[in-house]
Amino acid sequence: MKEYTQDELKKIYTARREKLLAYMNENKITAAVFEDCEERRNPAVRYFTGHPSDALFIIADNGKCVLIPWDDNLAKERSVAVDVVPYNKYERRNIRAVKETLKSFRLKSNRLKVEIPPTTPYPLFLQYVDALEGWDVLCRENSVHDFVVNMRATKDEYEIECTKEACRVGDWIISEIERGIRENWLQKESDVALLIESELRKCGCERTGFDTLAAGPARSFAIHAFPGYTNAPWPAQGLSILDFGVVYEGYTSDTTLTVAKGPLNAKQEELLTLVEKAAEQALPLYKAGSPIKKAAEAADLVFANAKKVMPHTLGHGIGLEIHEFPRVMPKHPDELLFKPGMIVTLEPGLYDPELGGVRLENDVLITETGNEVITHSKIIRI
């Protein structure tokens, strides 16, 4: 992918924070706290600072902001255009860090309001209230944190490039998997899972986007096989599923392929045909300005006409998290539309305890003129 200079990255991260500040000023929010810790993960910290994990990010409506990382050496290397203050300065206590940082900002307002994450447990919220004298401490829905979730749904240029690189690596791994199947050196669920783990790191990726799900015919009936993979044969005669993603600079791909190893019976062939048809019917509706629900309804209609039901949503946003806004499902209001910059999965699937499961999943970038399928997962027949 394109190499970004520090100046280019600074502009990208600054633009994100400026958009956040505009919302805060419009809604009279004096300060906001974002927390990424073992108990409460929030990728918004990485989104606004570039620092990978384990930190607080505090921003005020006057533009002052600070990153308070657990590992300040890593933060100084990875963060972008933000002041770094070591967590040790506050004895590794979040509330003290927030209190002293807000005091250092010297904010003036008739009504000081700070938003803390809506995932904050109630006892911890009360501790914030006691500690932040003179502040209205807000822990609520429809908050600045929800605004950021919606903001992250539409990717900027850098996010799109990172996701495309993850997808490129994922596609290459799929080609290796198909080669391993046809040359017969991939024989177990564990073989394919460990191949993914090894190859993604050779290609400069950070990790898998989630625990790899490799399920041979005896286990492919499960939407998400448990455990994710075993030492059982993969693929074997029947229907085998592989669901995996790889992460590049924080951004994940998400693909699922099905291996159909014959001979198959007529009912298994029907599952394959229906899933492929559902993907084909829904894809043209993944376009800017189209109601998200329409794509889901198109896939559901394919299955309903065959008297079958897909037991999960048609897709979901991806990015710094494997499941992001929006979900692709028929329950959405007509007003919820696909927007340019969204990257959303398209993953119809059907599952049967006797026949096995079929899922076909690819990642779709919504563009100004339609869409771009940025992964190339498929049904592999052998």
Side-chain angles (χ1 to χ4, degrees):
M1 64 172 278
K2 169 187 172 181
E3 290 290 333
Y4 285 80
T5 67
Q6 280 301 306
D7 284 344
E8 288 174 324
L9 288 173
K10 181 178 179 180
K11 289 179 181 178
I12 290 167
Y13 281 88
T14 299
R16 294 177 189 174
R17 294 198 287 261
E18 286 177 348
K19 191 171 183 180
L20 171 61
L21 287 169
Y23 176 88
M24 291 172 62
N25 280 285
E26 181 181 351
N27 291 274
K28 296 180 171 55
I29 300 167
T30 318
V33 177
F34 296 86
E35 180 183 42
D36 185 15
C37 62
E38 289 183 355
E39 297 85 1
R40 291 170 296 281
R41 290 294 179 199
N42 187 345
V45 173
R46 186 170 192 174
Y47 179 72
F48 287 118
T49 71
H51 180 61
S53 66
D54 295 302
L56 292 172
F57 172 61
I58 306 172
I59 185 167
D61 60 359
N62 62 2
K64 292 182 178 180
C65 61
V66 66
L67 174 69
I68 305 171
W70 174 71
D71 186 334
D72 54 298
N73 291 326
L74 181 62
K76 289 173 183 175
E77 178 182 305
R78 296 300 303 267
S79 63
V80 180
V82 64
D83 291 333
V84 176
V85 179
Y87 196 29
N88 281 338
K89 179 179 178 180
Y90 308 107
E91 297 179 343
R92 299 180 178 271
R93 294 165 55 194
N94 287 11
I95 292 178
R96 179 179 171 185
V98 172
K99 179 180 178 179
E100 294 189 16
T101 299
L102 292 178
K103 184 178 179 180
S104 73
F105 285 170
R106 299 184 180 181
L107 300 164
K108 295 181 180 180
S109 173
N110 293 330
R111 184 181 178 190
L112 294 168
K113 296 194 293 184
V114 58
E115 291 235 28
I116 64 174
T119 54
T120 304
Y122 185 63
L124 186 57
F125 164 73
L126 293 179
Q127 292 178 42
Y128 271 110
V129 171
D130 289 341
L132 301 180
E133 185 177 353
W135 286 82
D136 285 345
V137 180
L138 306 177
C139 182
R140 59 183 179 174
E141 294 181 338
N142 300 317
S143 66
V144 65
H145 299 83
D146 296 301
F147 169 77
V148 171
V149 168
N150 283 276
M151 181 179 166
R152 285 173 42 221
T154 303
K155 273 56 181 177
D156 58 36
E157 171 196 344
Y158 177 68
E159 294 180 286
I160 291 170
E161 288 298 315
C162 288
T163 307
K164 282 187 172 182
E165 181 63 12
C167 292
R168 185 194 67 78
V169 172
D171 279 353
W172 182 82
I173 291 174
I174 288 173
S175 71
E176 284 295 284
I177 289 169
E178 184 170 7
R179 185 169 71 88
I181 291 169
R182 298 195 185 281
E183 295 178 1
N184 204 35
W185 49 264
L186 276 182
Q187 299 181 347
K188 304 285 187 181
E189 294 175 356
S190 55
D191 291 342
V192 68
L194 295 176
L195 172 73
I196 292 166
E197 187 71 39
S198 173
E199 294 303 317
L200 73 88
R201 295 179 190 277
K202 293 177 186 177
C203 293
C205 291
E206 297 176 5
R207 56 182 172 83
T208 56
F210 51 94
D211 288 342
T212 296
L213 302 168
R219 304 186 327 116
S220 64
F221 66 86
I223 300 169
H224 285 171
F226 180 82
Y229 57 90
T230 69
N231 207 39
W234 191 99
Q237 182 180 337
L239 302 173
S240 300
I241 281 179
L242 173 66
D243 186 354
F244 78 101
V246 303
V247 176
Y248 182 81
E249 290 297 325
Y251 291 85
T252 189
S253 64
D254 187 6
T255 53
T256 305
L257 59 85
T258 298
V259 182
K261 186 173 183 179
L264 303 179
N265 62 43
K267 290 183 178 180
Q268 289 172 319
E269 290 286 358
E270 182 187 24
L271 296 183
L272 292 166
T273 299
L274 288 171
V275 166
E276 289 180 314
K277 184 177 180 181
E280 179 183 310
Q281 294 291 317
L283 180 60
L285 298 171
Y286 275 59
K287 61 182 181 180
S290 178
I292 291 175
K293 66 184 292 183
K294 296 298 183 184
E297 289 172 345
D300 285 348
L301 181 60
V302 170
F303 296 137
N305 287 339
K307 297 182 179 180
K308 297 188 183 298
V309 177
M310 181 170 63
H312 53 73
T313 61
L314 182 63
H316 55 84
I318 58 172
L320 289 170
E321 294 179 292
I322 187 58
H323 292 116
E324 294 192 352
F325 181 81
R327 295 275 183 172
V328 184
M329 59 184 183
K331 294 181 181 179
H332 285 312
D334 291 333
E335 295 76 24
L336 187 59
L337 310 176
F338 285 116
K339 297 178 181 178
M342 286 183 172
I343 303 179
V344 192
T345 66
L346 170 57
E347 49 180 303
L350 292 173
Y351 314 87
D352 185 280
E354 294 182 2
L355 303 175
V358 178
R359 183 159 69 250
L360 177 59
E361 178 182 17
N362 280 299
D363 303 335
V364 183
L365 168 64
I366 308 301
T367 67
E368 294 284 353
T369 57
N371 65 56
E372 178 185 354
V373 182
I374 57 175
T375 56
H376 300 87
S377 185
K378 59 186 176 180
I379 291 173
I380 298 173
R381 291 179 175 269
I382 56 174

